[in-house]
């Protein structure tokens, strides 16, 4: 067995690398020359499209750099191979693509796509996941700070017992002096342990329980709930679908497992209208009409689509008359959003708007897909997304085959937990809602979700309302104006972070750092696909002293004094409680006995359930809104002092603002890439090679006027700050608009974003700011 030289380990790992000669499975039938011809691009294409396998090599090939890992990553090649199964979390909590793992001597030596599994094949990120698992820079020991917060960290290794004892002492001290709400519990990425975190926060008595969905999916949850009465993200086109509206999503890059199904729908004849300010691969592959709008003008565009559906009599009059509320008010409001006015505001040609409305209105049922993130990062999201969600209702494409079906589900939330496990009855009975710090700032958010809107937690820290925190998978670069967040973390009395790595831009400001196990090393949570439940069993033991996040959270809860309610940190017992709390009549043992997935027998959902009372919780006809109808005018918003109509408002900083004279380009941030997820995976050589440095995309017209060429080093700046990036000159973006990825610690774009929040959802305008670009 050949091994690396440990002295060279970190240096070699960090180099930009080719994939090694064992990247693809079935190499026995490939000649040496053919293997050496495998390019970087083929790695990504092969990984995403073919679901091919990847293995580890410890040797240096003559054709380029190979991948080096710690000594612990390598097994004796003569040892027997055992095949085990897991699912990937490299893209967040979804889509949980299946992993088939080849294990030798307790080490994973190869991964490939799992056969006969709902989500497959693996993309490049899943293929590269072994590099994350065996990264020599992984955090593997609990650590406590020995120097001042805000300085480059100096740590001391401690035991888990010492860590838990310290955490309990610090958090209980804050609770005794300032109340439980002064301790914030926060779950970032991975999202998988949210159920455990919410349970512990509720046991502790803290209403300050937040998640990264403060900037992600909850805007869609809230706005769809205001319109439909429940959270619905949309639906992919089915066999009965005739058209599909995709609003601000690029699944070709962000959801490759989903994109192939969309291509199949296109081949079946489904017509696509795609809304996106960029010319993405999704646009190029699917769009019959591309509505290329100015970022921040979504509300006006949605109003224009509604205007044309009504003006051209393309809406479902019977459904609208009987099952919607506020149609006449909506009709009167959108009357001013003629195609000509919409073109002026959004930059979308009037004729394209008219054509899009015809495609949707004349081809029903119509499916609908929107991003849980994407365009949500603007100050008008609470209104514009309600307008967008109104479109399927106008088309009558709700709870019908080929449209958006209302499914009862299995009783789990989006993160494989349940309200009962999270102790929601205790939350209600003990009056948590009335104590929330965000209640005054974002009353609609607080009314519709049990999770705190965290965007203003720096203000809550400065006001003395939050004084300590448990931060799992937290990234200070996530929120607008990063230094404000870093100062808030630093200023708290005590903060413990749980993560895979030490990240200076966040962890230089915390007191303690705990090592989390990765997806191959942990059990929780379940993977749920329709009526099928998969239990994940650990494929290998956690490296070093890492522990799975559910275990860490439950052990913190036990140390805080809730040992029985936290199952003494036993993850299996916790999961058994989760599955029992669904009321499905099954146990964890039932899931263990079904490694190919446990199927819950359910009758196929009927259509138009709103007619006979099968949607509302009280059994009455209609939807789960106060009026029992789809609400074009929100009665909840009116009760909270807002206009019930989805009124369009320009971003605080827009092309008509005074600041635009000095900063004329629109700052559009946060788009996804096929090989990174947010700030994750930027250090993995197999993925980093495709974008080794931060990049901003700009149109050739804007580049030429500034003397910028493709690949130039440029300054990107505004009245908030400045970053340095590489210019990518491309027609993918329209003139006057930039496109920059978030998550680069070398070029943190949130140094340029502002803290003016949507009053309904609390979302910041990360995608609608202003900036300028100049050659360095």
């Amino acid at each position: 067995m050949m091994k690396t030289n440990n002295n060279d380990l970190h240096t070699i790992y960090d180099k930009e690398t080719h994939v090694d000669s064992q990247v693809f499975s079935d190499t026995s039938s490939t000649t040496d020359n053919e293997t050496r011809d495998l390019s970087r691009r083929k790695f990504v294409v092969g990984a995403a499209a073919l679901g091919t396998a990847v293995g580890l090599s410890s040797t240096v090939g003559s054709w380029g750099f190979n991948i080096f890992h710690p000594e612990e990553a390598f097994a004796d090649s003569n040892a027997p191979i055992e095949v085990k199964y897991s699912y990937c979390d490299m893209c967040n909590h979804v889509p949980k693509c299946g992993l088939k793992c080849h294990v030798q001597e307790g080490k994973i030596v190869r991964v490939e796509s799992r056969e006969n599994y709902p989500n497959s094949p693996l993309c490049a990120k899943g293929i590269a996941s072994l590099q994350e698992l065996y990264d020599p820079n992984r955090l593997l020991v609990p650590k406590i700070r020995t120097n001042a917060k805000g300085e480059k960290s100096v740590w001391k290794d401690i035991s888990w017992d010492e860590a838990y004892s310290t955490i309990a002492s610090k958090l209980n001290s804050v609770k005794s002096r300032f109340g439980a709400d002064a301790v914030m519990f926060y779950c970032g990425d991975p999202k998988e342990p949210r159920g455990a975190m919410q349970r512990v926060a509720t046991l502790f008595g803290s209403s300050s329980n937040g998640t990264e969905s403060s900037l992600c999916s909850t805007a869609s949850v809230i706005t769809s709930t205001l319109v439909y009465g429940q959270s619905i993200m949309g639906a992919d086109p089915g066999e009965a679908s005739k058209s599909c509206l995709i609003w601000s999503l690029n699944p070709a890059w962000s959801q490759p497992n989903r994109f192939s199904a969309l291509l199949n729908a296109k081949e079946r004849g489904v017509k696509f209208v795609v809304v996106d300010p960029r010319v993405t691969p999704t646009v190029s592959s699917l769009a019959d009409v591309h509505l290329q709008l100015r970022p921040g003008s979504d509300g006006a565009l949605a109003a224009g689509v509604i205007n044309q559906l009504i003006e051209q009599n393309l809406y479902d009059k019977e459904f609208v008359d009987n099952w919607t509320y506020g149609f006449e008010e909506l009709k009167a409001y959108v009357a001013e959003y003629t195609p000509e006015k919409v073109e002026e505001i959004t930059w979308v040609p009037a004729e394209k708007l008219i054509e899009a409305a015809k495609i949707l209105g004349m081809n029903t049922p119509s499916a609908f897909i929107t991003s849980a993130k994407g365009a949500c990062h603007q100050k008008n999201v609470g209104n514009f997304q309600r307008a967008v969600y109104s479109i399927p209702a106008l088309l009558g494409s709700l709870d019908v085959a080929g449209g958006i079906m209302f499914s009862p589900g299995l009783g789990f939330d989006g993160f494989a937990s349940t309200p009962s496990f999270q102790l929601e009855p205790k939350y209600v009975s003990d009056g948590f809602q009335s104590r929330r710090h965000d209640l005054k700032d974002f009353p609609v958010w607080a009314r519709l979700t049990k999770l705190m809107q965290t965007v203003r937690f720096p203000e809550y820290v400065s006001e003395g309302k939050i004084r300590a925190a448990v931060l799992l998978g937290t990234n200070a670069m996530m929120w607008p104006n990063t230094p404000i967040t870093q100062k808030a973390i630093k200023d708290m009395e005590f903060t413990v972070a749980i993560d895979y790595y030490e990240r200076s831009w966040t962890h230089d400001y915390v007191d303690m750092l705990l090592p989390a196990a990765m997806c191959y090393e942990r059990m929780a949570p379940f993977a749920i696909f329709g009526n099928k439940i998969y239990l994940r069993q650990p494929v290998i033991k956690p490296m070093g002293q890492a522990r799975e996040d559910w275990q860490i959270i439950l052990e913190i809860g036990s140390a805080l004094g809730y040992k029985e309610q936290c199952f003494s940190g036993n993850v299996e017992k916790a999961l058994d409680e989760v599955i029992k709390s669904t009321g499905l009549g099954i146990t964890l043992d039932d899931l263990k006995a079904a490694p190919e997935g446990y199927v819950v027998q359910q009758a196929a959902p009927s259509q138009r359930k709103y007619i006979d009372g099968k949607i509302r919780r009280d059994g009455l006809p209609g939807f789960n809104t106060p009026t029992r109808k789809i609400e074009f005018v929100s009665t909840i918003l009116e009760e909270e002092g807002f206009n019930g109509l989805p009124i369009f408002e320009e971003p605080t900083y827009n092309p008509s603002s005074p600041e635009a004279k000095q900063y004329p380009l629109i700052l559009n941030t946060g788009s996804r890439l096929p090989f990174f997820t947010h700030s994750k995976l930027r250090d993995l050589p197999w993925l980093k090679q495709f974008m080794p440095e931060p990049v901003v995309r700009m149109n050739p017209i804007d580049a030429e006027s500034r003397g910028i060429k493709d690949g130039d080093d440029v300054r990107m700046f505004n009245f908030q700050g400045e970053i340095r990036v590489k210019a990518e000159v491309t027609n993918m973006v329209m003139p006057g608009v930039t496109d920059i990825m978030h998550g680069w610690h070398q070029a943190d774009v949130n140094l340029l974003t502002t803290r003016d929040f949507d009053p309904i959802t609390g979302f910041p305008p990360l995608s609608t700011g202003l900036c300028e670009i100049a050659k360095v």
Side-chain angles (χ1 to χ4, degrees):
M1 177 176 61
M2 300 184 67
K3 298 183 179 180
T4 64
N5 180 334
N6 278 336
N7 293 330
D8 296 333
L9 182 63
H10 290 263
T11 301
I12 295 174
Y13 185 90
D14 287 338
K15 288 183 178 179
E16 184 182 347
T17 61
H18 290 288
V19 294
D20 65 52
S21 59
Q22 296 184 31
V23 163
F24 291 88
S25 61
D26 201 22
T27 55
S28 58
S29 62
T30 307
T31 68
D32 288 344
N33 288 336
E34 287 172 331
T35 300
R36 291 181 183 130
D37 285 340
L38 294 175
S39 68
R40 300 178 185 186
R41 299 298 171 191
K42 288 180 181 176
F43 165 65
V44 169
V45 172
L50 303 178
T52 48
V54 59
L56 299 178
S57 171
S58 61
T59 62
V60 178
S62 60
W63 61 287
F65 293 117
N66 286 334
I67 310 305
F68 281 71
H69 296 273
E71 291 284 321
E72 295 81 5
F74 297 103
D76 184 345
S77 59
N78 296 316
I81 294 179
E82 183 180 5
V83 174
K84 296 184 177 182
Y85 297 94
S86 184
Y87 42 82
C88 181
D89 71 348
M90 302 284 273
C91 291
N92 269 321
H93 75 291
V94 292
K96 289 189 172 69
C97 295
L99 290 162
K100 181 179 180 180
C101 310
H102 298 254
V103 182
Q104 287 179 294
E105 293 191 321
K107 304 170 182 69
I108 304 174
V109 297
R110 181 180 293 279
V111 294
E112 56 188 323
S113 298
R114 181 174 181 175
E115 305 97 339
N116 302 315
Y117 184 83
N119 278 353
S120 187
L122 293 176
C123 72
K125 289 172 282 190
I127 293 295
S129 60
L130 287 192
Q131 284 199 320
E132 184 180 57
L133 177 67
Y134 293 118
D135 188 335
N137 296 311
R138 266 191 72 180
L139 177 68
L140 297 176
V141 180
K143 298 176 181 291
I144 194 165
R145 176 173 300 283
T146 62
N147 66 329
K149 290 189 286 187
E151 299 177 359
K152 182 175 174 56
S153 298
V154 179
W155 302 103
K156 180 181 79 170
D157 293 352
I158 58 174
S159 67
W160 279 104
D161 287 344
E162 182 180 352
Y164 291 140
S165 175
T166 302
I167 293 167
S169 174
K170 296 290 188 180
L171 300 190
N172 280 326
S173 173
V174 170
K175 179 179 179 179
S176 67
R177 289 177 289 132
F178 304 104
D181 300 313
V183 177
M184 182 173 76
F185 294 82
Y186 179 86
C187 189
D189 187 332
K191 304 178 183 180
E192 296 182 344
R194 287 189 181 188
M197 186 73 87
Q198 191 160 346
R199 183 180 182 89
V200 170
T202 304
L203 287 168
F204 187 75
S206 176
S207 65
S208 303
N209 176 40
T211 72
E212 61 83 47
S213 288
S214 291
L215 276 79
C216 189
S217 61
T218 309
S220 296
V221 170
I222 287 174
T223 51
S224 61
T225 299
L226 290 171
V227 177
Y228 299 150
Q230 63 192 79
S231 171
I232 293 179
M233 297 294 183
D236 288 4
E239 293 295 330
S241 301
K242 300 294 176 56
S243 64
C244 180
L245 172 62
I246 300 180
W247 201 291
S248 189
L249 185 70
N250 180 22
W253 283 0
S254 61
Q255 300 170 341
N257 63 300
R258 185 183 196 181
F259 187 59
S260 59
L262 296 176
L263 291 173
N264 291 338
K266 179 75 173 176
E267 291 184 2
R268 293 197 305 270
V270 173
K271 302 290 185 180
F272 283 87
V273 174
V274 182
V275 178
D276 201 300
R278 302 167 301 154
V279 183
T280 67
T282 298
V283 169
S284 300
S285 301
L286 296 177
D288 291 278
V289 175
H290 175 204
L291 302 181
Q292 190 175 13
L293 78 170
R294 168 175 64 86
S297 64
D298 299 74
L301 181 60
V305 173
I306 294 171
N307 170 290
Q308 284 303 293
L309 290 176
I310 296 172
E311 285 295 310
Q312 298 183 53
N313 198 29
L314 295 173
Y315 67 99
D316 187 327
K317 191 174 188 303
E318 180 181 358
F319 180 84
V320 167
D321 288 346
N322 291 291
W323 298 105
T324 69
Y325 174 83
F327 173 72
E328 291 301 326
E329 294 94 325
L330 179 67
K331 179 180 178 180
Y333 168 66
V334 301
E336 65 179 287
Y337 286 92
T338 63
E340 293 73 25
K341 179 174 180 177
V342 171
E343 178 175 352
E344 180 182 343
I345 297 171
T346 68
W347 306 349
V348 172
E351 60 272 16
K352 285 201 170 187
L353 173 61
I354 295 169
E355 184 182 1
K358 287 181 177 178
I359 286 177
L360 295 173
M362 297 174 68
N363 295 276
T364 58
S366 181
F368 168 61
I369 302 172
T370 187
S371 171
K373 181 178 169 291
C376 292
H377 288 152
Q378 53 180 283
K379 193 176 180 180
N380 191 229
V381 60
N383 280 330
F384 105 69
Q385 260 204 328
R386 289 194 298 122
V388 173
Y389 277 117
S390 298
I391 294 171
L394 284 165
L395 296 171
S397 292
L398 296 184
D399 211 35
V400 294
I404 299 175
M405 289 293 291
F406 286 60
S407 173
L410 297 180
F412 297 96
D413 63 16
F415 308 94
S417 184
T418 67
S420 176
F421 180 81
Q422 294 160 187
L423 305 178
E424 189 169 302
K426 176 179 174 62
Y427 179 98
V428 174
S429 64
D430 290 5
F432 280 58
Q433 191 78 1
S434 63
R435 306 196 311 265
R436 291 174 56 152
H437 301 315
D438 61 348
L439 186 60
K440 182 178 179 181
D441 294 318
F442 308 111
V444 178
W445 171 291
R447 178 170 173 169
L448 297 180
T449 172
K450 302 298 187 292
L451 297 170
M452 182 180 79
Q453 172 49 280
T454 64
V455 291
R456 293 197 76 249
F457 95 84
E459 285 82 356
Y460 303 149
V461 172
S462 66
E463 295 163 4
K465 295 177 181 177
I466 294 179
R467 295 173 179 265
V470 178
L471 305 176
L472 188 147
T474 303
N475 187 343
M477 294 191 298
M478 174 178 163
W479 291 275
N481 203 331
T482 302
I484 292 178
T485 300
Q486 291 169 328
K487 183 179 185 301
I489 297 172
K490 173 178 173 289
D491 287 349
M492 284 187 278
E493 289 186 25
F494 177 78
T495 307
V496 55
I498 306 164
D499 219 308
Y500 298 154
Y501 301 95
E502 177 189 351
R503 300 298 196 191
S504 61
W505 50 91
T506 301
H507 299 142
D508 277 351
Y509 306 90
V510 306
D511 297 277
M512 184 183 291
L513 193 51
L514 304 180
M518 294 183 175
C519 68
Y520 295 103
E521 304 165 323
R522 62 178 187 255
M523 174 179 283
F526 308 123
I528 301 164
F529 303 95
N531 66 336
K532 199 169 189 179
I533 309 171
Y534 286 83
L535 172 66
R536 175 172 58 189
Q537 295 279 17
V539 173
I540 58 172
K541 294 180 179 179
M543 292 186 65
Q545 297 181 38
R547 296 183 179 180
E548 74 169 289
D549 33 32
W550 270 65
Q551 179 183 353
I552 295 171
I553 295 165
L554 293 171
E555 287 176 342
I556 289 175
S558 297
L560 288 169
Y562 311 101
K563 188 172 183 179
E564 182 179 352
Q565 299 98 316
C566 292
F567 317 97
S568 299
N570 187 299
V571 176
E572 288 202 27
K573 290 182 179 179
L575 289 178
D576 195 44
E577 177 65 23
V578 171
I579 195 69
K580 288 177 180 177
S581 69
T582 61
L584 295 173
I586 57 178
T587 67
L588 193 67
D589 286 338
D590 294 322
L591 301 186
K592 287 181 178 179
E596 297 304 315
Y598 186 94
V599 178
V600 179
Q601 299 300 324
Q602 285 185 316
S606 60
Q607 298 187 62
R608 297 183 174 86
K609 294 182 288 296
Y610 51 86
I611 295 175
D612 50 13
K614 293 181 179 179
I615 288 180
R616 283 184 60 88
R617 302 174 188 92
D618 57 13
L620 294 174
F623 300 88
N624 284 307
T625 60
T627 60
R628 292 193 285 125
K629 296 183 177 183
I630 299 298
E631 294 197 356
F632 296 139
V633 176
S634 172
T635 55
I636 290 177
L637 286 184
E638 289 180 332
E639 288 175 10
E640 297 295 342
F642 295 93
N643 192 319
L645 282 164
I647 303 297
F648 167 66
E649 293 180 4
E650 285 281 8
T652 302
Y653 302 100
N654 65 75
S656 299
S657 303
E659 294 84 357
K661 293 180 180 179
Q662 190 173 358
Y663 309 106
L665 298 175
I666 295 175
L667 176 64
N668 186 25
T669 82
S671 63
R672 296 292 186 96
L673 291 164
F675 34 81
F676 298 137
T677 303
H678 300 308
S679 63
K680 297 198 307 184
L681 320 179
R682 304 294 174 98
D683 294 333
L684 302 187
W686 275 338
L687 301 178
K688 184 179 180 180
Q689 60 180 318
F690 301 110
M691 188 175 283
E693 297 178 274
V695 167
V696 60
R697 298 189 181 105
M698 58 189 307
N699 187 273
I701 294 174
D702 297 322
E704 183 178 2
S705 67
R706 291 163 175 80
I708 295 171
K709 296 181 179 179
D710 190 66
D712 279 351
D713 292 316
V714 297
R715 300 165 49 231
M716 192 172 188
F717 58 96
N718 63 12
F719 50 87
Q720 292 255 128
E722 176 180 314
I723 58 177
R724 301 289 179 97
V725 293
K726 292 281 188 184
E728 180 182 325
V729 180
T730 172
N731 284 314
M732 182 178 183
V733 295
M734 65 175 71
V737 177
T738 66
D739 179 46
I740 183 168
M741 284 61 68
H742 59 301
W744 290 100
H745 67 89
Q746 308 96 318
D748 176 13
V749 73
N750 278 336
L751 294 175
L752 310 183
T753 55
T754 57
R755 295 179 62 78
D756 46 314
F757 304 113
D758 171 38
I760 296 173
T761 67
F763 270 48
L766 303 182
S767 298
T768 59
L770 295 175
C771 69
E772 177 59 293
I773 297 177
K775 186 174 180 179
V776 173

